[in-house]
Amino acid sequence: MREYLLTLCVTAAVTYLLTGPVRKFAIVAGAMPEIRARDVHREPTPRLGGIAMFFGLCAGLLVADHLTNLGEVFEKSNEPRALLSGAALIWLIGVLDDKFEIDALIKLGGQMIAAGVMVVQGLTILWIPVPGVGNVALTQGQGTLLTVALVVITINAVNFVDGLDGLAAGMVCIAACAFFLYAYRIWFGYNIEAAAPATLFAVILMGMCLGFLPHNMHPARIFMGDSGSMLIGLVLAAGAISVTGQVDPDAMRLFSGSERNTVHQMVPVYIPLLMPLTIIAIPAADLILAIVRRTWRGQSPFAADRGHLHHRLLEIGHSHSRAVLIMYFWSALIAFGALAYSVNAASMWIVLGVVFLSAVGLVLLLLPRFTPRAPRWAERFVPPRYRRRRAAATDASAAAEGTEDAEGRIPVSVGVSGANGATAVGPRSGAR
């Protein structure tokens, strides 16, 4: 565990220290696009944060290669090299997009090529554990197609959710933390060395996100851009592919009693192949909803809009910070709920805990609709946000000026016709 902590700290430190110089470079290079209609930030902000994250990835792999135990991963497996090759390619595509705004189909092709590069070097799915059936072996073609599809879906799921300050980095960090604990349990709990690369990928991914978050929290000083969002999406997918398609459940048979029980214990691993990725179910759901919404309107699935989940949280009245925290909450609930279920699937307390926390999450989602107001006789004793007349006056003035109200929310303007004649709903101040 000490070597993992050292790798985590080095990755986070390198990412954090390089983000400042990268921000200055992005400003000089002109990687500061104008504010678009779907944006929620108020002033141009530099991108290219993925540059610092990529060098953090390289530093983490370099340090791990020189450690006693983690160094064996590089000797016995080619997966770290496969990850670095695919990450370098997807990072270059992201840097070009942050600067020159390349076409969406070109990015999609680059994502498929990066996934193919990893497959060629051995990072691929060999079999799928199916509940009640066991292992289903895949042909080379089937494994390649499934691996490429999982990588592309995960990259775009993370890219789609990168719409608020600190949102994508925080959600991926939560997912990586849960994934690390699960892979670490397989590696050291069952002594299965095939899980070692996935454990290393997860801890490096945590370091990349933790090092970048201080610069990206609201109000963000720099965005990770596509160079960062596609990069962390690829690393997360690589870990899932490694532990899902490489770790044989038969190796856990002696510890689990039967192969069928073993397959059931690996629920949090094989579910990612079907959803994809239980640990980032929120971004995956946002991705699916975005594709359906845009296709229904006759638009391209890659056409940007303001219909993502985080946009809707802002529209119903949540502040920027609260919307991000709510997304963190749901991501942690799903990721760690799956992790707890994998440890003890028979415990009813886990199910009850998930149900209770889900109810808490629903209350948080509806919080703006239930803002308490103090009685008139007690208004002088409570903060302004709870005073009926003061709150109404503040909301009216904020709506006129396009500023935040007493609760830190930007009032929503309804009934503004867009270019296609549809009614637009969104903050008055166009932002990220």
Side-chain angles (χ1 to χ4, degrees):
M1 180 60 76
R2 289 180 297 179
E3 293 188 354
Y4 285 114
L5 289 176
L6 177 60
T7 304
L8 171 66
C9 292
V10 170
T11 305
V14 171
T15 304
Y16 176 79
L17 294 176
L18 287 180
T19 302
V22 167
R23 179 179 182 274
K24 296 180 180 179
F25 169 76
I27 296 175
V28 173
M32 294 179 60
E34 296 296 329
I35 297 177
R36 300 159 297 186
R38 69 178 187 271
D39 294 333
V40 298
H41 57 281
R42 301 177 181 179
E43 58 184 23
T45 305
R47 296 181 181 179
L48 293 177
I51 295 179
M53 304 178 82
F54 177 74
F55 282 104
L57 168 68
C58 295
L61 290 174
L62 182 62
V63 169
D65 188 22
H66 289 80
L67 297 178
T68 303
N69 295 323
L70 292 182
E72 297 179 0
V73 177
F74 294 82
E75 297 175 0
K76 300 179 180 180
S77 173
N78 196 47
E79 292 183 11
R81 299 176 184 85
L83 170 66
L84 184 60
S85 300
L89 181 57
I90 203 71
W91 172 71
L92 287 174
I93 296 173
V95 169
L96 293 176
D97 182 66
D98 289 342
K99 173 59 180 175
F100 301 108
E101 295 281 348
I102 63 178
D103 186 75
L105 291 179
I106 296 179
K107 287 195 295 183
L108 180 62
Q111 295 167 6
M112 298 175 67
I113 293 174
V117 168
M118 295 194 299
V119 170
V120 170
Q121 299 186 62
L123 186 57
T124 184
I125 298 174
L126 302 177
W127 51 69
I128 302 177
V130 179
V133 177
N135 289 339
V136 176
L138 301 176
T139 64
Q140 183 177 0
Q142 292 172 339
T144 299
L145 290 176
L146 188 57
T147 301
V148 171
L150 182 60
V151 171
V152 171
I153 291 174
T154 306
I155 288 175
N156 286 283
V158 175
N159 191 23
F160 274 41
V161 83
D162 183 26
L164 297 180
D165 299 346
L167 182 58
M171 292 181 66
V172 172
C173 184
I174 292 171
C177 181
F179 199 83
F180 168 77
L181 293 175
Y182 187 82
Y184 185 85
R185 175 172 172 261
I186 296 178
W187 170 206
F188 288 96
Y190 294 98
N191 197 28
I192 299 178
E193 294 184 0
T199 311
L200 176 61
F201 297 165
V203 76
I204 289 178
L205 182 57
M206 279 193 291
M208 295 164 61
C209 295
L210 290 175
F212 184 73
L213 267 175
H215 299 273
N216 191 232
M217 295 302 292
H218 184 67
R221 301 179 66 249
I222 184 174
F223 297 149
M224 66 173 66
D226 280 8
S227 60
S229 62
M230 293 198 299
L231 175 63
I232 60 178
L234 181 136
V235 177
L236 185 59
I241 291 168
S242 177
V243 77
T244 304
Q246 304 285 344
V247 176
D248 188 355
D250 290 340
M252 301 168 64
R253 178 183 247 169
L254 295 177
F255 303 94
S256 303
S258 68
E259 181 178 347
R260 178 172 297 183
N261 292 336
T262 297
V263 172
H264 280 287
Q265 288 187 6
M266 298 189 70
V267 168
V269 178
Y270 62 71
I271 281 183
L273 293 175
L274 306 175
M275 285 195 152
L277 287 177
T278 302
I279 50 182
I280 56 168
I282 300 298
D286 195 16
L287 171 63
I288 295 173
L289 291 174
I291 293 176
V292 173
R293 180 177 63 252
R294 295 165 184 174
T295 305
W296 183 265
R297 295 174 180 174
Q299 300 175 337
S300 168
F302 303 100
D305 59 17
R306 288 186 58 88
H308 293 293
L309 296 178
H310 49 271
H311 289 136
R312 297 180 182 273
L313 289 176
L314 295 177
E315 289 175 1
I316 66 176
H318 289 289
S319 64
H320 190 293
S321 299
R322 187 190 292 170
V324 172
L325 292 176
I326 289 175
M327 297 287 282
Y328 284 178
F329 173 85
W330 282 103
S331 298
L333 177 61
I334 295 174
F336 288 98
L339 175 65
Y341 182 79
S342 70
V343 175
N344 187 1
S347 176
M348 183 58 64
W349 289 106
I350 295 177
V351 177
L352 294 177
V354 171
V355 171
F356 173 76
L357 291 175
S358 298
V360 173
L362 291 176
V363 172
L364 294 176
L365 286 174
L366 299 175
L367 192 60
R369 303 185 184 275
F370 299 104
T371 303
R373 299 299 182 194
R376 296 186 182 276
W377 59 268
E379 288 184 352
R380 68 180 64 181
F381 305 107
V382 297
R385 68 178 63 181
Y386 301 114
R387 302 174 188 173
R388 298 175 185 271
R389 287 171 293 184
R390 180 67 62 83
T394 302
D395 290 346
S397 62
E401 299 176 2
T403 58
E404 294 183 352
D405 62 8
E407 296 186 10
R409 303 192 301 258
I410 302 176
V412 177
S413 58
V414 182
V416 179
S417 298
N420 59 357
T423 300
V425 180
R428 291 178 59 88
S429 57
R432 184 178 170 197

